[in-house]
Amino acid sequence: MRRNETRRKFLIGGVTAGALALAGCATGGDDTDDEATDDDHDRDDDAADDDSTDVDDEVPAYEVWALDQGTDTIYLYEPDEDGYGGDEPFAHAETIDLNDLLDDEGPIVPHMIDYSSDYEYAAIACTAGARTLVFRTDDRELVAELDTGAGSHFAGFSPDDEYLHVDAIGEEAIVRVEADLADEDFEIVEEIDLREDETVLDAGIESGAPICHQYARDGRSLHTLGPAYGDGALVVVDHEEFAVDRAYSNDELPTNCGTVPHPTEEKFYLTAGAPSDPDEDGSGVGDYYVYDTAEDEVLVDGESTEGVDAHGFWFTPDGEELWVLNRETNDGVVLDPETDEVVEEIDAFGPADDDDPEESDAPDIMWATPDGEYVVVTLRGPAPLSGDPHAATGVTPGFSVLDVETKEIVGVVEPDPIDDYDEEDIEAAREEDDDAPAIPDFHGIGVRPIDDFDTAIDTSPPY
């Protein structure tokens, strides 16, 4: 069993709050024959290279990129032509071992993923590795390794793909990377130090690091701060000037997690979450907010997500539903983007569901498939590397597959089965022993369309 020192103590801030992985706005890309790079890939090479191989035309072409931050591994899955729509809708396609690729003993901790607008490049922010990795998606080639700073939590392509903006927790900074995709050239050019920014300080924000961001329709981006709920706040960045335009303190907007714009209107959705206190009944926070980017005012001021530790969310491709999940209570709600009200509840995102959070699955990030059939949701491991252990400790690390129509779990994908790990090793990882093995812990996830899909909205923000 491979060992490294990827332990919670390497993460800046200790209780790094997860954030929503959001992507560029195109819905299709070039159809490619993906080649495996790991010894475990079981695909028949001759069949993969033979254009005459019979393939069910009804099977859509897209990939799921699932990030195991616990073992520094990226797993790629694709729709399974034999099981699509059944119990096993996805088949393993490829594995990228970052320790081997980077010749690095760790910790790296690939945390979040985002795609360029044409899905030809993927940016992966690595919290403990203090870097951002950029992959060419069709051949999985690493084209850039950028020193974006301690706690690099989320790296997002700007809508025009001219920049990557990185929320770096340990630096308390928003880092700007100039991206020349044609020449695959990337250069760090600027940063906003939130500890010294006058607009931030004037708003009364004395602490708080950037967690996640997405882009509004007016050329600005909204960044939640955290990681803890008490550090939650919001800053709005003008990208023409690359300067903070507005800032809202914890008293006004204690948002510390997800960010997503409305598909067609000048509204923006934000989440705020906090784990419960095991010794205090009824504690914990699960709220969502809606911000009007045209008028710079709050439209929905902290409505309940019907659970604890509100976290990731995602629009369905028809634009009619916004799903929101609660990490600690393994449940969530569906919002109507016209009224911004809760219209349905989701009972569970992971199959292990228990009143004791540490005996229940801990869902984190989700992404809808471009055909509108499924939402894939990462499930945290029993020795989580980020988030409060009380809320983020899970049972089965991997990702679950939910049917969009029924909101029911139709499958769970576990790339690195937790049953292969001894309980002693898991406990050693929880105790942060230096010689403890790396334990699977899935956090970020992304879906890359390969075919073109006919959707009401683009398959990912900023729409």
Side-chain angles (χ1 to χ4, degrees), residues 22-329:
L22 300 177
C25 60
T27 60
D30 294 333
D31 195 7
T32 60
D33 290 327
D34 299 331
E35 296 179 357
T37 60
D38 67 293
D39 294 335
D40 296 327
H41 190 181
D42 295 327
R43 179 188 297 170
D44 186 312
D45 291 335
D46 292 334
D49 293 334
D50 184 0
D51 290 338
S52 65
T53 302
D54 291 333
V55 176
D56 185 351
D57 291 336
E58 296 302 315
V59 178
Y62 60 83
E63 301 171 331
V64 177
W65 291 50
L67 309 186
D68 181 353
Q69 65 176 6
T71 65
D72 298 332
T73 308
I74 303 169
Y75 294 95
L76 277 71
Y77 281 78
E78 58 191 20
D80 187 341
E81 62 184 76
D82 294 324
Y84 187 77
D87 292 337
E88 300 294 337
F90 294 105
H92 176 237
E94 192 168 339
T95 298
I96 302 171
D97 186 322
L98 293 181
N99 293 117
D100 287 346
L101 180 66
L102 301 173
D103 192 23
D104 198 323
E105 291 300 320
I108 299 171
V109 188
H111 195 66
M112 306 294 299
I113 185 170
D114 183 50
Y115 299 102
S116 59
S117 62
D118 56 9
Y119 289 91
E120 292 185 4
Y121 294 89
I124 297 176
C126 304
T127 50
R131 69 193 87 171
T132 297
L133 309 175
V134 182
F135 285 87
R136 191 187 311 125
T137 55
D138 64 349
D139 60 4
R140 311 351 173 183
E141 185 74 17
L142 180 66
V143 298
E145 182 180 356
L146 306 164
D147 181 10
T148 49
S152 292
H153 187 270
F154 174 67
F157 284 94
S158 61
D160 55 13
D161 292 331
E162 292 185 359
Y163 296 99
L164 276 169
H165 295 108
V166 184
D167 298 305
I169 292 175
E171 309 295 334
E172 294 188 37
I174 300 167
V175 180
R176 175 172 249 190
V177 179
E178 192 171 64
D180 182 347
L181 298 185
D183 292 331
E184 295 183 342
D185 183 47
F186 301 84
E187 181 184 2
I188 297 172
V189 291
E190 276 185 281
E191 72 172 42
I192 299 173
D193 188 335
L194 299 183
R195 294 167 296 191
E196 299 179 356
D197 187 89
E198 290 186 6
T199 303
V200 172
L201 296 175
D202 288 346
I205 301 172
E206 297 180 356
S207 66
I211 299 300
C212 190
H213 72 271
Q214 251 309 323
Y215 300 90
R217 309 177 75 82
D218 59 5
R220 299 184 298 172
S221 60
L222 279 68
H223 300 248
T224 51
L225 304 188
Y229 177 72
D231 297 323
L234 184 74
V235 297
V236 184
V237 174
D238 181 322
H239 283 278
E240 184 173 346
E241 302 293 333
F242 195 57
V244 175
D245 180 56
R246 290 176 178 269
Y248 299 89
S249 71
N250 182 266
D251 291 337
E252 297 173 286
L253 284 171
T255 52
N256 65 335
C257 189
T259 57
V260 65
H262 190 283
T264 59
E265 300 177 20
E266 294 182 332
K267 296 191 296 186
F268 217 97
Y269 299 87
L270 310 156
T271 55
S276 64
D277 184 339
D279 299 323
E280 183 180 342
D281 292 339
S283 59
V285 176
D287 289 333
Y288 71 93
Y289 293 78
V290 184
Y291 183 80
D292 186 330
T293 55
E295 301 296 332
D296 285 310
E297 63 182 20
V298 178
L299 299 177
V300 176
D301 191 10
E303 291 294 328
S304 175
T305 56
E306 310 297 336
V308 176
D309 201 22
H311 213 64
F313 48 7
W314 201 262
F315 270 102
T316 55
D318 58 12
E320 295 181 0
E321 298 180 355
L322 176 59
W323 290 29
V324 191
L325 66 77
N326 299 303
R327 184 167 54 185
E328 180 177 319
T329 47

Side-chain angles (χ1 to χ4, degrees), residues 390-410:
H390 180 62
T393 297
V395 175
T396 306
F399 64 91
S400 61
V401 185
L402 273 71
D403 182 279
V404 167
E405 182 177 356
T406 66
K407 314 297 188 290
E408 297 292 334
I409 300 168
V410 297

Side-chain angles (χ1 to χ4, degrees), residues 1-10 105 421-439:
M1 184 180 297
R2 176 169 58 84
R3 294 175 179 267
N4 64 28
E5 294 183 341
T6 309
R7 299 272 63 82
R8 178 184 301 273
K9 63 186 178 184
F10 289 101
E105 291 300 320
Y421 293 81
D422 294 334
E423 187 60 40
E424 292 80 4
D425 289 333
I426 294 173
E427 187 59 33
R430 286 173 171 165
E431 296 297 323
E432 302 175 9
D433 292 349
D434 289 341
D435 61 347
I439 301 298

